[in-house]
Structures are given as C-alpha cells and as structure tokens.
Amino acid sequence: MDIENLQNTWSKHEEKLQKSINLNLELLKRVNVKSAKSKMTSLIWINALTLAFYQIVMWSFAYYTVTHWPTVQFVVAGLILTTWAGIISYGAIKQLKLILEIDYSGPVTLVQKQLQKVKIAIVHFLRMALMILPFHMAFLIVINEILFNVDIIKLADPVWVILQTLVLILPTIWIYRNLSPKNANKKWVNWLLQGNGSQINEAQNFMKEIEKFKLG
Amino acid sequence: MKTNETNSTSADFIGMIEKYKGIIYKIANAYSRSSEDQEDLVQEIILQLWSSFGNYDPKYKFTTWIYRIALNVSITHYRKDVVRKKYTIPMTEQLIDSSATVEDNQTEDIRQLRGFIQELDEMNRALMILYLDGNSHQEISNVLNISVSNVGTKISRIKDKLKEKFKK
C-alpha cells in the first residue's frame, strides 16, 4: 500500500461505500424522526423519578420534624432523615444536570468523558444512600411513632440505642471508602451495583484512555 | 404556518444528509462490526443529527458539527455491549439498505487500510478518519478538543505505525 497516498485510498473507500449503501430518503421524509426514543430519555426518567420520590420523602420528614417540635428524639430523627433524603435529592439533581448537559455536537473527548461520568455516578449515588446506615435508629424512631404511636427511646435501653449507632459506624466508613469505581469489579461491590461493576470499571478505564489521548 | 416551517426544516435536513452522507457512512463503517451493525449505526447517527439539528452553532463549520455528532454516537455505540435494538425506531421498511457487504467490494488497499483503522482504539480511530478525510489539523483539533500540536504528533505516530506494519 502507498502510505503517502492514504487519503486517495480512503476516498476510493468512500466511493465504494456510497455505492453499497442506499439511504432511503423517501422513508426519512415520512418517518417522524422526532418521535424516536432517545437513549438518554430513560436515564432522564429514572433520575427524575428518583428525584421526585426523595423530594416527597424529604418534605414528609421535614413536616414530621416541624409537627413534632419540641420533642427532642423525634425532631433529631426527623432532621437526620430530612438531611439524608435531601442529600440523595441533591445527587439526583447533579446526575440530571450531567445528563442534560450532554450535547452530542460537543467535542468528542469532552462528550465521551461526560458519558462515562454518568455511568460512574451510580457508585456515588450508592455511597450517599449508605450514609443512613449508622442512623437507622432514626428510621425506627419515626416509623414506630407513626405506625404504633410508640416512643422507642422511652422504652428502649439507652445503652442499646447508642450501641446500635456505634456498631454501624465503622462498617459504614469501611464500605464508604471501598465503594469506589476502582473497586467496581470486586464481587461485593458488583453485587451492590446490581451487576453494573464491569461497565463502571470499563467507563473508568475509558476515562483514563481519553485523558492519555488528550495529553498526547 | 408551523407545518410549513417543519416541512422546510425537514427538507433542509434531508438535503444536508444527502450532501454529507459520505462522512456518516465512513464513520459508521469504521465503528461497526458487521453490515447489520453498520445499518443500525447509520440510523442512530441520523436520528441524533436530527435531534441536534435545531441547535447547530454557526461559529463552527457545518462539517465539524457533523463529525462531532457522528463520532460521538459511533464511539458510544461501539462501546455499548447491551442490546440497543430497543432504542431504535420500529420500522417496517429499512432506512438503510446495504445491498452488498462492504468486504465484497473492497480492493486490497482499501481492505488493508480499513483493517488498520479498526485495529486502532476509539479515539485514535476518530483522529485517523478525520485525517484521511483531508481535514486540517486545526479542524481535527476542533472536533476532538485536543491541541493542534498533539494532532500533528499523533498523526505522524500513526503513520509511522502504518509504515512499519506494511513493511512486513
């Protein structure tokens, strides 16, 4: 092959392709391409629904907090749950923003990086959701009060209540630290990610490839 | 009134596809594994071009806009391992018909060049297509968002690799 004449060989390739592919322009005129489902639409919907759900949860807990003022245990539990739902809502907003910002007519390295970020974001979401673990007592307090009108703090041994929180602090810190995209291929992380581990790992590697490509 | 506008936009779009279909075919061909895959990819690119058609930024050349969309869609399509059929529009007729497989029509040189391009990773493949299409280094830099000097370095590296390969 004539290396110096590559562009000429390439243009012959184009001619051959033009001959072998027929674009049905008549059909293109008839099809309402606007109605085509975008790949991103389902992702937008998932995040919008997550956001809507956690917003309802957040405002419900906020209402609970206000209406149970000034009983300390109910107010503290309500505030913890409101904050938690708020953090998850914030994550969903960030994720939605990321998806909506993707513009396929943007520069290739930039758009590809954005797309990989969307894939990796599932790890960060999960991390935020797990932050509630040491505070699960807040759930117990609120649920028992709402469903059975029982103040669990009054009934339970205070030592037991404190232990419940302390016992889960270390495992939560450990999970939080280890739950990162670089560990996505580990069995337990992959299980938590509902089998998306390898995809996240690939996304992470592709991000590195793009960075390397940009640096030259 | 609105229908007239829609018809005119649609006609502009079809005119644009007709004019630049060569770019779309070459990129789809370089990022697909079979002629069926290529048909899906051409369709995906056209749909994305259509949905971005109203947002074209005239500060860039029209071809830059097409290259960016076609390459972004193709790289994403190529990296996807999940079945993508569910996202395409259901059509009783085919939008694209590749009557002959590409391989059947290829001369030895074209086959070799295509084979070499497909050996490159996704980003270098994009760069090579842009170079082979005769785009300037500045234009390539605009499409990929890398520096002009980086474009030059990468092209000469790829060409060296190609020379080495065909010396054997």
Side-chain angles (χ1 to χ4, degrees):
Chain A
M1 186 182 0
D2 181 4
I3 301 295
E4 298 313 317
N5 212 5
L6 285 174
Q7 285 169 334
N8 202 16
T9 311
W10 185 246
S11 68
K12 277 187 212 155
H13 176 47
E14 181 175 347
E15 278 169 36
K16 301 258 179 210
L17 279 173
Q18 298 245 22
K19 278 181 198 163
S20 67
I21 304 173
N22 288 315
L23 194 57
N24 189 344
L25 287 173
E26 277 309 307
L27 180 63
L28 195 58
K29 281 177 198 165
R30 280 187 277 131
V31 170
N32 181 6
V33 271
K34 259 192 175 166
S35 67
K37 193 180 171 191
S38 149
K39 283 184 292 297
M40 281 293 163
T41 314
S42 52
L43 263 178
I44 292 171
W45 268 107
I46 290 170
N47 278 284
L49 288 173
T50 308
L51 176 62
F53 174 75
Y54 280 99
Q55 276 293 294
I56 293 170
V57 171
M58 189 186 91
W59 289 109
S60 306
F61 285 135
Y63 176 76
Y64 177 90
T65 309
V66 173
T67 52
H68 285 74
W69 192 271
T71 319
V72 178
Q73 60 268 40
F74 296 141
V75 170
V76 171
L79 277 176
I80 287 172
L81 295 175
T82 307
T83 311
W84 174 71
I87 290 172
I88 295 187
S89 298
Y90 172 71
I93 292 169
K94 257 180 81 177
Q95 174 85 340
L96 262 177
K97 190 173 167 271
L98 205 61
I99 297 168
L100 292 170
E101 269 174 4
I102 294 173
D103 168 13
Y104 270 77
S105 64
V108 178
T109 48
L110 181 81
V111 174
Q112 292 304 316
K113 270 176 79 173
Q114 283 177 320
L115 287 165
Q116 306 316 307
K117 272 188 196 167
V118 170
K119 281 189 196 171
I120 292 167
I122 186 176
V123 179
H124 302 296
F125 233 120
L126 207 59
R127 276 176 134 185
M128 284 187 283
L130 282 170
M131 279 164 63
I132 195 64
L133 269 179
F135 305 107
H136 72 288
M137 189 52 74
F139 260 122
L140 293 179
I141 293 170
V142 172
I143 285 169
N144 276 294
E145 200 275 330
I146 293 173
L147 297 180
F148 313 112
N149 204 19
V150 168
D151 182 351
I152 201 171
I153 295 292
K154 272 188 186 162
L155 294 178
D157 177 357
V159 179
W160 178 79
V161 173
I162 294 165
L163 270 177
Q164 284 287 309
T165 307
L166 291 179
V167 158
L168 282 171
I169 286 180
L170 281 178
T172 308
I173 294 173
W174 185 84
I175 293 173
Y176 190 82
R177 279 193 175 167
N178 283 280
L179 191 62
S180 78
K182 70 175 188 322
N183 288 332
N185 263 2
K186 283 188 180 168
K187 263 188 186 169
W188 71 272
V189 180
N190 192 36
W191 176 77
L192 275 174
L193 296 169
Q194 296 166 317
N196 289 313
S198 61
Q199 271 199 45
I200 289 161
N201 209 39
E202 262 181 44
Q204 188 82 351
N205 288 339
F206 192 45
M207 288 269 276
K208 283 182 196 153
E209 267 178 46
I210 297 169
E211 277 306 319
K212 210 172 135 194
F213 181 82
K214 279 195 80 174
L215 291 172
Chain B
M1 184 67 182
K2 204 171 179 183
T3 317
N4 283 346
E5 265 177 42
T6 313
N7 286 343
S8 129
T9 312
S10 178
D12 289 346
F13 177 70
I14 289 163
M16 181 273 286
I17 294 287
E18 181 68 84
K19 191 172 173 190
Y20 297 107
K21 62 184 180 189
I23 295 177
I24 301 170
Y25 292 167
K26 276 181 291 186
I27 293 176
N29 182 259
Y31 286 93
S32 46
R33 296 174 174 96
S34 64
S35 54
E36 196 195 22
D37 194 29
Q38 178 178 291
E39 285 169 19
D40 283 350
L41 185 48
V42 171
Q43 184 178 300
E44 261 191 64
I45 295 171
I46 292 174
L47 292 177
Q48 189 59 53
L49 284 168
W50 174 253
S51 56
S52 304
F53 195 52
N55 305 327
Y56 165 63
D57 182 354
K59 88 174 172 207
Y60 294 106
K61 277 167 72 178
F62 202 65
T63 46
T64 305
W65 179 78
I66 294 178
Y67 275 119
R68 281 177 171 184
I69 292 177
L71 285 167
N72 275 320
V73 173
S74 300
I75 294 171
T76 312
H77 174 99
Y78 186 77
R79 295 191 60 80
K80 224 185 308 164
D81 46 15
V82 195
V83 186
R84 69 195 87 82
K85 292 269 184 198
K86 60 180 174 177
Y87 297 119
T88 55
I89 11 171
M91 284 188 201
T92 45
E93 294 168 78
Q94 285 292 304
L95 180 61
I96 304 106
D97 170 33
S98 48
S99 49
T101 59
V102 177
E103 282 75 13
D104 292 342
N105 279 329
Q106 285 175 351
T107 62
E108 187 55 21
D109 274 1
I110 295 173
R111 198 190 58 76
Q112 279 187 333
L113 181 57
R114 186 175 179 266
F116 176 76
I117 290 171
Q118 294 218 317
E119 277 174 22
L120 297 169
D121 63 47
E122 295 94 323
M123 302 309 290
N124 279 306
R125 199 180 299 184
L127 178 100
M128 191 64 179
I129 295 168
L130 290 161
Y131 164 72
L132 291 171
D133 273 354
N135 291 291
S136 67
H137 287 196
Q138 181 60 56
E139 179 75 5
I140 297 175
S141 145
N142 285 341
V143 173
L144 298 176
N145 192 30
I146 58 174
S147 68
V148 177
S149 61
N150 197 0
V151 172
T153 316
K154 284 186 187 301
I155 288 173
S156 63
R157 258 189 232 152
I158 294 175
K159 278 172 87 175
D160 287 346
K161 230 192 238 179
L162 201 58
K163 274 181 199 164
E164 195 61 40
K165 188 175 172 74
F166 292 110
K167 229 189 259 173
K168 290 173 191 169

